[in-house]
C-alpha cells in the first residue's frame, strides 16, 4: 500500500533580514515623513567627512582616498541603520500612545540595563483604565502613571506609601505619561529613567524589587495594547 503523503502544512518562511528592514522602513515612513531625509543625511555626512579628511591628510594618494571613502560609506550605512531603528521605535510607540497598556509595552521591551519593570500594572482603575506601573533600578523606585494626572494622583500616593513601608531612604520618582502638558512622551520614557541619579546598588535593586513584588497584588494588564506588537519587527 502506498505510503500516504504528509500533508502537514509547513510553517511560513520568515522574511530575510533585508525584507524585514524594508518592512520596518515602510511602516516608519507612514508615520514619520522625515525618515528619508534623516537617513540620507546620516549616509551623506560621514561620506563627505571621510572624503574631506582624505583630501586634507592624504592629498594625491588614490589608495588612501579610496580607503577613506570606504570607511565613510560603512559609517554612513551604520548611521542609517541606527537612525532607522530609533525612528521606527518612536513611530511604533506613537501609534499606541494614549492606549491602555502602552506604558507596560515600553517597560517590557525598552528598559535599559540595570532596570527591572513589568508590563503588568501595580494599580488599575477599572472604570477609566488608568493605571500605575512600577520600575526599580539604580535610581530607586519609579512610579509611572498612565492617564490624566487628576485621575491617577490617588493611586500614585497609595503606591508611594507602600514603598515607604520598606523603610530606609529609597528614592521614589513619579513620572506621568498621559495627556497633561508636562507629561513624558511614551517614546522618551525609557530614556527618562536612565537620567535618574543612581542611589541603589545592584544587590539592593533586586532586594527592593522582590520585596515590592511580594507586597503587590497581581493585576491584569489593561486591555487595549498587545505589548508583543508594540515594537516593529527586527532582524534576528
Amino acid at each position: 500500500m502506498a505510503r500516504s503523503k504528509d500533508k502537514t502544512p509547513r510553517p511560513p518562511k520568515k522574511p530575510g533580514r533585508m525584507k524585514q528592514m524594508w518592512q520596518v522602513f515602510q511602516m516608519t515612513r507612514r508615520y514619520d515623513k522625515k525618515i528619508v531625509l534623516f537617513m540620507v543625511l546620516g549616509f551623506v555626512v560621514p561620506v563627505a567627512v571621510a572624503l574631506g579628511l582624505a583630501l586634507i591628510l592624504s592629498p594625491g594618494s588614490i589608495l588612501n582616498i579610496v580607503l577613506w571613502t570606504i570607511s565613510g560609506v560603512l559609517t554612513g550605512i551604520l548611521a542609517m541603520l541606527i537612525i532607522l531603528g530609533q525612528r521606527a521605535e518612536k513611530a511604533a510607540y506613537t501609534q499606541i500612545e494614549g492606549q491602555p497598556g502602552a506604558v507596560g509595552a515600553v517597560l517590557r521591551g525598552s528598559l535599559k540595563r540595570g532596570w527591572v519593570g513589568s508590563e503588568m500594572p501595580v494599580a488599575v482603575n477599572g472604570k477609566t483604565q488608568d493605571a500605575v506601573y512600577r520600575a526599580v533600578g539604580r535610581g530607586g523606585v519609579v512610579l509611572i502613571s498612565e492617564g490624566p494626572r487628576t485621575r491617577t494622583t490617588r493611586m500614585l500616593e497609595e503606591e508611594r506609601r507602600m514603598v515607604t513601608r520598606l523603610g530606609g531612604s529609597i528614592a521614589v520618582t513619579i513620572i506621568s505619561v498621559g495627556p497633561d502638558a508636562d507629561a513624558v512622551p511614551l517614546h522618551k520614557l525609557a530614556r527618562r529613567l536612565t537620567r535618574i541619579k543612581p542611589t541603589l546598588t545592584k544587590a539592593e535593586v533586586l532586594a527592593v524589587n522582590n520585596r515590592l513584588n511580594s507586597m503587590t497584588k497581581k493585576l491584569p494588564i489593561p486591555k487595549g495594547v498587545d505589548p508583543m506588537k508594540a515594537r516593529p519587527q527586527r532582524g534576528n
Side-chain angles (χ1 to χ4, degrees):
M1 185 176 181
R3 184 181 293 179
S4 60
K5 295 183 179 180
D6 185 7
K7 296 183 179 180
T8 303
R10 295 183 179 180
K13 186 178 179 181
K14 291 185 177 180
R17 181 167 301 183
M18 293 300 297
K19 187 174 181 179
Q20 286 182 337
M21 291 174 59
W22 177 250
Q23 291 173 346
V24 170
F25 171 74
Q26 292 287 75
M27 181 278 295
T28 306
R29 190 170 61 173
R30 288 199 297 269
Y31 299 94
D32 186 352
K33 303 303 181 183
K34 296 181 179 180
I35 180 64
V36 176
L37 174 62
F38 280 107
M39 291 184 68
V40 170
L41 290 175
F43 179 78
V44 171
V45 171
V47 173
V49 171
L51 283 174
L53 291 174
L55 295 175
I56 293 173
L57 301 177
S58 306
S61 175
I62 302 300
L63 178 60
N64 286 337
I65 291 176
V66 171
L67 293 177
W68 274 102
T69 302
I70 293 174
S71 298
V73 170
L74 294 177
T75 304
I77 293 174
L78 178 61
M80 288 176 62
L81 294 177
I82 292 174
I83 291 171
L84 175 60
Q86 293 177 342
R87 307 290 290 195
E89 185 173 69
K90 179 180 178 181
Y93 284 139
T94 299
Q95 296 176 57
I96 64 173
E97 193 162 14
Q99 298 183 36
V103 170
V106 175
L107 296 184
R108 182 186 184 279
S110 295
L111 279 185
K112 304 299 181 181
R113 186 176 180 180
W115 284 91
V116 182
S118 173
E119 63 182 330
M120 304 291 286
V122 294
V124 176
N125 185 319
K127 294 182 179 180
T128 63
Q129 290 296 296
D130 298 327
V132 172
Y133 295 81
R134 185 177 63 226
V136 183
R138 296 289 306 278
V141 177
V142 180
L143 300 176
I144 308 160
S145 64
E146 183 179 75
R149 190 177 285 108
T150 54
R151 298 201 309 243
T152 57
T153 300
R154 182 176 178 180
M155 289 190 295
L156 285 169
E157 287 304 316
E158 290 176 354
E159 293 303 319
R160 186 204 288 270
R161 285 197 294 269
M162 187 179 70
V163 176
T164 59
R165 295 193 203 114
L166 297 180
S169 56
I170 302 174
V172 180
T173 303
I174 291 180
I175 296 176
S176 175
V177 176
D180 301 286
D182 57 345
V184 176
L186 189 64
H187 67 277
K188 293 184 178 180
L189 176 58
R191 201 181 316 159
R192 172 70 176 82
L193 296 181
T194 62
R195 296 205 299 265
I196 299 175
K197 183 179 179 180
T199 58
L200 300 177
T201 65
K202 293 182 179 179
E204 289 173 335
V205 169
L206 294 177
V208 170
N209 186 61
N210 290 337
R211 288 283 305 278
L212 288 173
N213 284 340
S214 66
M215 298 167 62
T216 304
K217 296 180 180 179
K218 298 299 182 181
L219 298 173
I221 188 169
K223 297 179 180 180
V225 172
D226 181 356
M228 297 295 291
K229 299 179 181 178
R231 305 180 72 189
Q233 290 185 351
R234 297 183 181 179
N236 297 327

